[in-house]
Amino acid sequence: MEQKKPSSALEKIARLRVTFCNQLPTRVADIRNTFERLQASPGDRALAAELHRLLHGIKGTGRSFGFRELGEAAALGETLAAELVEHPQMLAQTDWQSLLAKHIDQLVQVSHSSLLPGAQGCASAAAPAFTLRAAAQTPITTETAGRLVYLCDDEPLTLAQLASQLACFSYETVSFLDPKSLCDAMLLRRPDAVIMDINFPMGKSAGIEALATIREKTGRSVPTIFLSARNDFAARMGAVQAGGEAYFLKPALPIDLVAAIDALTNQYSAEAYRILIIDDEPEVAAYHGIILQEYGMTTYQLSEPALVLQVLADFRPDMVLMDMYMPGCNGRDLATLIRQVPDYIGLPIVYLSSETDRHKQFSAMRVGAEGFLTKPVVPEDLVSAVAIRAERMRTLRSLMARDSLTGLFNHTTTTQLLESAVASAKRGSKALMFVMIDIDNFKHVNDTHGHPIGDQVILAVSRVLQQRLRNSDVVGRYGGEEFAIILQDVTIEAAAHLVNELRDDFSRVVFHATNADFSCTFSAGIACYSKHSHAEALREAADRALYRAKHSGRNCVVVD
């Protein structure tokens, strides 16, 4: 008997959409029936709450599957139903009945329109920006793999769609239809993150209340992302006060959700701030260094100002603390010297001196120093002043080093990191691979679907690379639709296998433009350090291999 081929994520999602369409007539009939019962019993607040829930469900799920007009029609009725629940005195009035009847009639009309004539129309209807197919059968092992995410929503189709998307990025998911089940599960096994709706049949803020219960019972909070059709202030404020760390409106782009989860579940600590202390009194420099070290910072004490340029190049500080008066020069002169080196124009400099003359302090700061602290400084003030400025420097460096769209290293930084990796490989006789990647026919994507969709394609490549590769690997956007990867301590066979899996992962990403579904592929070239001992030679070899991949039919990997 022929074995049935496993369904792709695209096929699974398509079936979910068809199921939604098939269920729609019954769900709309339930809404109509509940509304009629509410008209007959206008004082029944429970019926108003049920009507709100039904409309809310169609709104969220409809939007999630790309049926915007349907979602908007449901949203009109849901808004009015929400007002009836929150202000029951309105139920005694008659104005709401005709208005709500109008909204429900519109919903019925939309559900019967050509957009949803059944399974066939459902399959061709507009979908969210893009949907990811299932992950490869043999997943790549990374630091990201194995993170557990609990999903909670009263819409089974929404849960299934979320689970299928997150599986593409190696997240383990468990789904729950109500907050109580979620709460019970969290008492037994704590997840790395939770994604949940706010509204449930048992109450408008049942999701928020469940989180509070979990915190009370466990004494711990879990990184939580709220995913809801509600965009009102009360919902957002309730989510914030409940400890929600991100809030997305349905339907949320998969890339945005994955980026948020990845940030919230990142288990790697940021590198300690690096502070250079320049003071001609070593003991004083050491004292301030100890204070900063106690707060987790890395310090370097320098008592010879003449060595400052060498130390700056080797230590690469996030900030400089310096005395105002030192042998051979003063703080103003030394700060001016540092500022004249282009690499250090933005480096924060703070004077740490016993000088109390305000005129002199301001004069010294005119060369571009960030501040002036008077000795003796309160330790907490020192730490705060240093941390704020060092963090700002980190942020500025990141902006200069990374591509604004993807967050990957930019061309200049990637080139510098390749040179450093080659130097390190020479010293340690380690394996090093350089990979060049180029999206196939990307100009056609931009010309056909527009640059916003093209940006989504670029973001999808970057996210696949970031999620699938190790934290020790370097991933950069080399320019336009080109990407580069630096792989250390891997064999050429392992590198080729890995890049082929990445290529296959990306080829299963499905994008949805206006009335058109499409997929993209990329080609890749790999070069090995053992054959090319210089960074430029390694880059040129990878580029040649990429060229051969392009001219061999694209969507393939060539090793130099």
Side-chain angles (χ1 to χ4, degrees), residues 529-545:
Y529 162 73
S530 61
K531 293 178 60 177
H532 309 281
S533 58
H534 298 284
E536 184 59 24
L538 192 61
R539 187 202 64 78
E540 290 176 353
D543 199 46
R544 288 194 300 269

Side-chain angles (χ1 to χ4, degrees), residues 447-463:
D447 291 345
T448 303
H449 305 293
H451 288 275
I453 297 296
D455 287 346
Q456 288 293 323
V457 174
I458 289 173
L459 281 168
V461 175
S462 68
R463 183 53 60 182

Side-chain angles (χ1 to χ4, degrees), residues 129-130 438-461 480-481 506 509-514 516-522 550 554:
F130 80 83
D438 186 87
I439 302 174
D440 298 325
N441 300 312
F442 185 70
K443 184 178 184 300
H444 176 73
V445 172
N446 277 335
D447 291 345
T448 303
H449 305 293
H451 288 275
I453 297 296
D455 287 346
Q456 288 293 323
V457 174
I458 289 173
L459 281 168
V461 175
E481 65 272 24
F506 178 65
V509 175
V510 179
F511 301 89
H512 300 279
T514 304
D517 294 355
F518 69 97
S519 296
C520 288
T521 61
F522 68 64
K550 287 287 190 181
R554 299 185 177 89

Side-chain angles (χ1 to χ4, degrees), residues 47 53 76-77 82 131 139 163 167 173-174 220 229 266 277 320 325 348 351 353 389 454 457 473 499 521 539 541:
L47 279 177
R53 184 188 70 81
L76 294 173
T131 306
T173 62
V174 181
R220 297 188 299 174
N266 187 0
I277 304 173
V320 174
Y325 303 104
Y351 294 112
S353 174
R389 291 165 175 82
V457 174
D473 298 324
V499 177
T521 61
R539 187 202 64 78

Side-chain angles (χ1 to χ4, degrees), residues 25-56:
T26 300
R27 296 177 65 164
V28 171
D30 288 343
I31 289 174
R32 171 73 74 183
N33 179 56
T34 304
F35 172 61
E36 290 173 354
R37 290 164 59 200
L38 183 60
Q39 284 182 304
S41 303
D44 193 335
R45 190 178 181 185
L47 279 177
E50 176 66 6
L51 179 61
H52 174 266
R53 184 188 70 81
L54 294 172
L55 288 164
H56 171 80

